[in-house]
Amino acid sequence: MKLYTYWRSTSSYRIRIALALKGLEVTPRFVHLVRNGGEQHGASYRALNPQGRLPALELDDGTILTQSPAIIEYLEETCPAPALLPRDPVLRAKVRAVAAIIGCDIHPLHNVAPLSYLRQNLGQAEPEVAAWIATWIGQGLSAVEALIGDEGYCFGPLPGLADVYLLPQLYAARRFQVPIDHCTRILRVERLCNEHPAFRSAHPSMQGDAE
């Protein structure tokens, strides 16, 4: 398989973690989101993903999968062990809710396209853009802090889907200098993940295109 990725892409980071947790190897194909106006906008990448977003996963037969939630669901269905979701349906829903808070409510609001629109179309200066980012990351992580458990990873002794979403979001929070010191549960999870080889290998700093 081939993973179209960028070292600092939050959603690509999720897929790298999920792949590493499941012990699946892929060949990275680096797509620079800034160089030359963004390589994701080029015709060659648009032919793979018409939306022009990362990540994209190319299967062995050439099939292209896009959108990180769909890719993770595919990995979970085709490589069920180790599982990223618990068996209990209520707990599964809680895990998915945390993932959705991050993937649907936080991350999209600080993605490249919305921030570019704020700057270029709405004329917002960097202090206003920074306040926008801090507002949505801060509110979202406060909700996550209240929903995860008091021990272990987000929902127990093993990492799962919520952790796959949380660690990249924490990387983004630190990148944008959003305070998270009050999130003691989240910081506990971060410490555990930082000790796990799958999370370490997926970290942006470990990628071949890291700058």
Side-chain angles (χ1 to χ4, degrees), residues 66-114:
T66 63
Q67 288 292 330
S68 61
I71 294 172
I72 292 173
E73 286 184 18
Y74 168 83
L75 296 175
E76 185 77 346
E77 291 167 358
T78 57
C79 184
L84 299 179
L85 286 163
R87 290 187 177 183
D88 178 77
V90 172
L91 188 54
R92 287 168 75 95
K94 291 183 177 181
V95 170
R96 283 176 166 143
V98 167
I101 288 171
I102 296 167
C104 301
D105 295 340
I106 305 176
H107 172 236
L109 293 175
H110 67 73
N111 210 348
V112 173

Side-chain angles (χ1 to χ4, degrees), residues 128-164:
E128 285 72 32
V129 173
W132 168 277
I133 294 169
T135 295
W136 303 119
I137 292 181
Q139 288 185 10
L141 289 182
S142 292
V144 170
E145 173 74 8
L147 292 171
I148 63 177
D150 290 318
E151 297 180 354
Y153 293 90
C154 285
F155 288 95
L158 298 174
L161 183 69
D163 309 282
V164 167

